[in-house]
Amino acid sequence: MQYLLTVLAGASTALAAPALVQRANGTIQCPIVFDGRIPTSFSANPSLFDTYATNTIYNPDYVKGTDLKWSTILKFPGGAVSRFDGADHVPVEVTISDKSIFQTQKGFRRAGLQFLKDSADGEGQKGVKTLHFSVKQDAARPLNLTHEYLNVWHETADYSANQWNFQTGTIIGQSSANKEDFKIIDRNGKSLYAVKQDKSSWQNFALKFDYTKNQLTTYYSVGDAALKLVAGPTSTNLAGGGQFQIGILKKPTGTSDVVNGGYQESNLNEGQIYGGIFLEDSSDGCVSL
Ligand SMILES: *[C@@H]1O[C@H](CO)[C@@H](O)[C@H](O)[C@H]1NC(C)=O
Ligand SMILES: *[C@@H]1O[C@H](CO)[C@@H](O)[C@H](O)[C@H]1NC(C)=O
């Protein structure tokens, strides 16, 4: 063993120095309900995302362009992992292109991951749960902040509303002054928290949903720092069941019919990098920081 290490060390100095991968040191402290983190085995073999037989993490069929497979939508940009990804998981980038048209929704360009085990009236919408996700920007696939984006959200079981949205860009009908912000907005359009997009570091969010009290609490940090409570608990209507969605939904400009109409540029190549996606059980007050 010592011999092998010596040989490997000798070999690696002869080649280019290997890229240093910075390890995050956050620890998940509460029971995981849905684990959406990406194991290295999946990034090495993205076709695992394409079928129910192999995709143990996300729904292989939704919500995406009909002709696209998740193995082509998702990219694996490498680099430093986010706070809760540790040594076994990697960042994932959700991308959109001109083909990112779900069913007949020609106004949107969208690709959204849904936890495989999430269901309209399931564990994800009961008790007290905390959704964790980290975001990072890809300079090669920037979002166009003239448009409104939904990045992470929860749609009700009857598809009539979203209980809350994590968004960026120019929210239709609002000023473009804070288009560089990530914003957490409730179903009535009320802003619960906003923070400027960081173009280089991981930004870590945790949203705690108390379904018994209809309250939302937001935790946030940058880089590898521990999360801190930044907003709430705020009273907001979390009723209606449904599902989480994580990715990109880009709305068009210049229309009142955003689902079907409006303007989208051609030759789109945009992406949002995610890390550390999981839902944990906070019924006893536990939140991983
Ligand atoms: C951003 O979107 C607007 C509206 O679709 C478009 O006019 C503009 O060219 C886009 N900018 C970039 C840099 O893609
Ligand atoms: C590790 O965790 C501590 C405490 O949360 C934090 O201050 C530090 O920046 C983290 N990262 C590294 C690389 O030590």
Side-chain angles (χ1 to χ4, degrees):
M1 192 62 196
Q2 190 57 51
Y3 170 73
L4 180 64
L5 285 174
T6 307
V7 169
L8 285 175
S12 70
T13 49
L15 302 167
L20 286 175
V21 177
Q22 186 198 326
R23 294 295 173 206
N25 64 359
T27 307
I28 300 178
Q29 286 135 358
C30 326
I32 296 179
V33 181
F34 303 138
D35 195 349
R37 296 176 300 161
I38 308 299
T40 46
S41 57
F42 274 69
S43 61
N45 185 6
S47 63
L48 294 174
F49 285 101
D50 293 334
T51 68
Y52 279 102
T54 55
N55 194 342
T56 50
I57 308 171
Y58 292 109
N59 186 329
D61 291 339
Y62 290 91
V63 176
K64 59 178 184 60
T66 317
D67 299 332
L68 299 177
K69 291 182 168 174
W70 280 112
S71 54
T72 61
I73 296 168
L74 300 177
K75 311 284 179 206
F76 304 93
V81 301
S82 68
R83 181 165 174 76
F84 294 106
D85 274 327
D88 304 328
H89 299 92
V90 294
V92 63
E93 181 168 4
V94 178
T95 67
I96 53 170
S97 68
D98 299 349
K99 290 186 178 151
S100 303
I101 296 172
F102 173 61
Q103 295 178 345
T104 61
Q105 300 181 350
K106 293 198 164 59
F108 296 148
R109 299 292 178 272
R110 66 187 295 184
L113 292 164
Q114 295 179 325
F115 295 113
L116 184 65
K117 293 176 189 152
D118 197 7
S119 66
D121 58 356
E123 256 321 288
Q125 6 286 335
K126 288 177 187 161
V128 187
K129 301 287 181 333
T130 301
L131 180 71
H132 284 260
F133 55 91
S134 299
V135 290
K136 206 164 96 166
Q137 304 314 306
D138 181 352
R141 293 192 187 85
L143 304 180
N144 179 343
L145 302 176
T146 301
H147 287 252
E148 176 176 346
Y149 292 85
L150 273 64
N151 299 88
V152 184
W153 66 98
H154 196 282
E155 187 171 18
T156 58
D158 67 3
Y159 307 116
S160 69
N162 293 352
Q163 283 98 336
W164 52 269
N165 297 318
F166 173 82
Q167 300 199 233
T168 193
T170 306
I171 309 296
I172 293 172
Q174 295 183 17
S175 156
S176 63
N178 62 354
K179 68 181 180 180
E180 301 270 345
D181 286 358
F182 279 119
K183 313 163 241 262
I184 299 164
I185 296 172
D186 77 3
R187 82 162 83 195
N188 298 319
K190 184 178 150 199
S191 175
L192 304 180
Y193 182 65
V195 65
K196 198 168 160 51
Q197 258 189 37
D198 191 312
K199 298 297 183 194
S200 56
S201 301
W202 282 109
Q203 293 176 284
N204 314 304
F205 294 86
L207 306 182
K208 182 166 88 174
F209 312 105
D210 188 328
Y211 293 104
T212 67
K213 293 185 187 158
N214 276 307
Q215 288 178 339
L216 197 161
T217 306
T218 303
Y219 301 82
Y220 173 71
S221 75
V222 177
D224 203 22
L227 294 163
K228 288 202 173 91
L229 192 156
V230 290
T234 307
S235 291
T236 191
N237 179 7
L238 298 174
Q243 280 173 297
F244 295 98
Q245 208 169 127
I246 299 136
I248 297 178
L249 184 156
K250 181 182 186 182
K251 292 187 183 176
T253 56
T255 181
S256 55
D257 181 8
V258 292
V259 181
N260 305 295
Y263 177 72
Q264 292 276 8
E265 276 191 304
S266 302
N267 303 316
L268 280 188
N269 181 24
E270 302 184 5
Q272 173 64 60
I273 303 170
Y274 289 97
I277 303 167
F278 62 98
L279 186 77
E280 68 188 358
D281 190 345
S282 298
S283 53
D284 63 357
C286 181
V287 175
S288 297
L289 303 175

